Amino acid sequence: QVQLVESGGGLVQAGGSLRLSCATSGRTFSSYTMGWFRQAPGKEREFVAVINWSGGGIYYSDSVKGRFTISRDNAKNTAYLQMNSLKAEDTAVYYCAAALGVLTTRAVDFGSWGQGTQVSVSS
């Protein structure tokens, strides 16, 4: 298990940008696949993006592909989600998650979760 703390959420106008950060504790950050998920009011949590330990394996949901970029800095034990061209439908609580080893997009495979950060996009 690893502790995760998200930051960078806020209110932005449609078309704007935000960068989320996910800071982790411990010395094994590079062992983890890092993912971002989101949950809008009244909806189920959904996959957004995932990056493997080296950054060489990355997947995005179709809804964010081309607009969002996931990255990581293993020296800083931090993962990022750069969100550009934001839309009202991107409004949600965004969660950072860590999965040991495997590159996966399934929430059930992630054993560690942050507390979430609110992203609100006004149209």
Side-chain angles (χ1 to χ4, degrees):
Q1 297 287 349
V2 61
Q3 291 186 333
L4 309 174
V5 179
E6 302 100 332
S7 61
L11 175 64
V12 64
Q13 290 187 334
S17 299
L18 284 173
R19 188 175 84 153
L20 305 183
S21 297
C22 175
T24 69
S25 63
R27 296 172 289 180
T28 59
F29 175 72
S30 60
S31 299
Y32 289 87
T33 287
M34 300 300 298
W36 288 95
F37 294 78
R38 66 186 182 186
Q39 187 166 18
K43 295 187 177 181
E44 294 186 353
R45 189 171 298 189
E46 65 171 351
F47 164 75
V48 175
V50 66
I51 185 168
N52 76 336
W53 70 274
S54 68
I58 291 175
Y59 292 106
Y60 297 99
S61 68
D62 288 342
S63 61
V64 307
K65 196 174 297 181
R67 300 188 297 121
F68 290 11
T69 301
I70 189 171
S71 62
R72 66 189 297 157
D73 186 335
N74 288 343
K76 295 183 178 180
N77 292 343
T78 303
Y80 304 96
L81 185 68
Q82 177 67 43
M83 305 185 295
N84 298 329
S85 302
L86 283 161
K87 306 175 181 179
E89 50 263 44
D90 294 318
T91 295
V93 176
Y94 283 71
Y95 296 90
C96 174
L100 191 60
V102 62
L103 180 61
T104 177
T105 63
R106 303 192 313 162
V108 68
D109 293 327
F110 288 80
S112 300
W113 292 82
Q115 82 288 351
T117 185
Q118 177 71 46
V119 171
S120 299
V121 185
S122 62
S123 57

